[in-house]
Amino acid sequence: MKCPFCGSDNTRVIDSRPADDNTSIRRRRVCDDCNKRFTTYEKVETIPLIVIKKDNTREQYDRNKVVGGIIRACHKRPVSIDQINKLADEVEAAIFTGEGKEVESTMIGQLVMDKLSELDPVAYVRFASVYREFKDVDTFMNELAKMLKDEKK
């Protein structure tokens, strides 16, 4: 493992433990050349998951796209990056435990919306407005009315 500070290959592991999500290993490392410490994570490499998009094109699953969409929805909201990563982990766990090697983008979007509705209602509406391609204010208001109705239950 190369040191991110000096680029040296002379690094060693000083501590290993399961990460918070129990799906990866957190390793604390030290560079023997510059004596700086850094953390790495190991995850099991899985079979690539293919996402079927709305226009029926296919592309490899990219966690960064999911996280990016969540970050945009949570912009200027009281949601930490740890909460965003936890949400992305939960979505990934749900889609990777499925039997197929392909998943529809609509399923991923719905999972994100379900998790966001529990985390932050404003972020949920922001995400839904892009994901569901709201065409006008009426569609937006209908979604808000549904959300308010669900909160009262």
Side-chain angles (χ1 to χ4, degrees):
M1 177 64 61
K2 282 192 176 200
C3 173
F5 302 104
C6 70
S8 170
D9 286 334
N10 194 12
T11 64
R12 59 189 161 88
V13 175
I14 55 175
D15 182 41
S16 286
R17 64 182 67 175
D20 293 335
D21 60 2
N22 271 340
T23 62
S24 59
I25 301 291
R26 178 184 181 272
R27 299 205 191 277
R28 204 59 191 133
R29 297 176 180 268
V30 65
C31 175
D32 289 332
D33 291 341
C34 69
N35 289 324
K36 293 200 177 180
R37 294 177 181 222
F38 58 100
T39 302
T40 60
Y41 292 88
E42 282 183 29
K43 277 193 171 211
V44 174
E45 191 170 9
T46 58
I47 298 169
L49 184 67
I50 302 299
V51 177
I52 304 168
K53 298 176 76 167
K54 289 179 184 176
D55 63 358
N56 278 334
T57 59
R58 286 168 165 73
E59 65 181 46
Q60 190 167 341
Y61 170 77
D62 183 0
R63 177 189 171 92
N64 293 329
K65 286 187 174 187
V66 173
V67 171
I70 298 167
I71 288 173
R72 283 188 297 279
C74 294
H75 182 69
K76 294 190 178 181
R77 299 297 305 152
V79 178
S80 71
I81 194 67
D82 288 337
Q83 290 172 302
I84 290 169
N85 281 324
K86 183 175 184 249
L87 192 151
D89 289 342
E90 291 170 0
V91 168
E92 274 189 353
I95 61 175
F96 278 103
T97 56
E99 295 295 316
K101 294 176 183 156
E102 294 184 334
V103 64
E104 293 190 16
S105 62
T106 53
M107 180 188 164
I108 297 171
Q110 190 60 51
L111 285 166
V112 171
M113 284 195 312
D114 293 345
K115 302 287 183 189
L116 271 176
S117 69
E118 298 167 12
L119 183 64
D120 186 272
V122 173
Y124 161 76
V125 172
R126 285 179 178 171
F127 188 87
S129 69
V130 173
Y131 171 71
R132 291 196 177 143
E133 300 173 349
F134 290 174
K135 301 289 186 224
D136 53 30
V137 175
D138 290 334
T139 313
F140 193 81
M141 293 303 290
N142 289 340
E143 189 64 34
L144 282 175
K146 273 197 290 187
M147 190 178 78
L148 290 171
K149 183 179 150 190
D150 288 344
E151 273 186 12
K152 290 179 182 177
K153 287 182 181 178

